[in-house]
Amino acid sequence: MNKIAVIAAVTIVAGCAVEPTIQTGPNAETTFDGLVRVDNARFAGAWVDPDVDLKQYTKIIPGGAEFEFRNVQKMSTSAARRSNENEFWISDTNKQRLIDTVTEVFTEELQKSESFTVTDEPAPDALIIIGGLHDIVSQVPPEDVGRSEVWLRSVGEATLVIELRDSLSNEVVYRAVERRAAENVGNQMIRANTATTWAEVRRWASRWAVRLREGLDSVHE
């Protein structure tokens, strides 16, 4: 195993509090495509190719994203108020707004990178970033004019999947997976209305985007 490659691979997924380590030995968790699990990583689940030196990359290519919403039955506002459900249907309009918001946040954050240039041309020093939000679910009940206030700990949650691929070989060199709720700092209650809900969605996406951008920048530090 290449020592420089290991150091670079660990850096991109590292958190700040605990030293990350790539699993080794016969019991190391390895994916179907040869990536190895990183313990104490920046994201809840992270796997890297220990033989690829990430320092060779200086460009990133946005490779698109997939958005998958949990299939939740639509119900009327009155039915939602009477039920004990904590998962609610998302309209097509709000689905598109979520897609646009997350895409905008990640695009803006990656453009702030001090170590990587955003490009659209494959090259030996370019990585393709492919993202996805899966099993997206809303915990915000339908709005009802005149109803009492609704306070929530989370407005929703989803599973983030990020892959970094070599732009020439299309080989996956890094994968991160994490499920996160869109909740306020300190697990404080959120007053659910249109403004606060979308503010939390933006903060939720921003926390992920910042961690990704900081991880990329740390490769060349």
Side-chain angles (χ1 to χ4, degrees):
M1 187 179 293
N2 185 305
K3 184 176 181 180
I4 294 177
V6 170
I7 293 173
V10 168
T11 301
I12 193 172
V13 297
C16 299
V18 183
E19 184 72 18
T21 56
I22 296 179
Q23 293 183 0
T24 58
N27 295 323
E29 182 182 325
T30 305
T31 65
F32 69 94
D33 49 356
L35 304 183
V36 180
R37 178 83 183 221
V38 180
D39 293 327
N40 304 317
R42 188 177 294 271
F43 293 95
W47 297 262
V48 297
D49 185 335
D51 297 319
V52 173
D53 182 4
L54 297 178
K55 289 182 179 293
Q56 67 183 294
Y57 299 105
T58 60
K59 301 183 180 105
I60 49 177
I61 301 172
E66 178 182 357
F67 294 82
E68 176 198 13
F69 295 83
R70 184 179 296 179
N71 186 18
V72 177
Q73 182 179 0
K74 184 178 180 179
M75 64 176 68
S76 66
T77 301
S78 58
R81 291 181 63 186
R82 293 193 302 268
S83 74
N84 294 320
E85 297 293 332
N86 59 2
E87 300 175 3
F88 299 98
W89 176 80
I90 306 174
S91 70
D92 290 341
T93 298
N94 283 337
K95 285 180 180 179
Q96 188 59 53
R97 183 173 179 179
L98 185 144
I99 291 170
D100 293 342
T101 298
V102 173
T103 301
E104 177 186 340
V105 168
F106 271 82
T107 299
E108 289 178 351
E109 193 61 40
L110 288 175
Q111 289 173 342
K112 296 177 185 177
S113 174
E114 298 178 356
S115 301
F116 285 81
T117 302
V118 178
T119 183
D120 58 3
E121 294 292 334
D125 62 344
L127 284 170
I128 301 173
I129 296 184
I130 298 175
L133 280 182
H134 300 272
D135 194 26
I136 303 167
V137 60
S138 171
Q139 295 172 346
V140 180
E143 290 190 2
D144 183 13
V145 177
R147 73 177 180 186
S148 58
E149 292 182 347
V150 175
W151 292 80
L152 303 170
R153 294 200 180 277
S154 167
V155 300
E157 60 182 44
T159 299
L160 173 74
V161 178
I162 294 175
E163 286 189 348
L164 302 184
R165 299 186 180 190
D166 182 275
S167 66
L168 298 184
S169 68
N170 203 39
E171 175 189 357
V172 178
V173 298
Y174 165 68
R175 181 179 296 119
V177 179
E178 180 172 284
R179 187 158 188 86
R180 177 183 285 269
E183 58 189 8
N184 217 335
V185 177
N187 200 30
Q188 298 177 356
M189 298 291 282
I190 303 165
R191 181 182 177 184
N193 57 45
T194 299
T196 58
T197 295
W198 287 107
E200 289 305 319
V201 168
R202 179 170 286 273
R203 276 192 286 268
W204 171 65
S206 180
R207 285 193 287 268
W208 267 330
V210 167
R211 287 162 67 187
L212 176 60
R213 192 261 305 159
E214 289 178 346
L216 288 167
D217 282 345
S218 67
V219 168
H220 294 285
E221 292 178 354

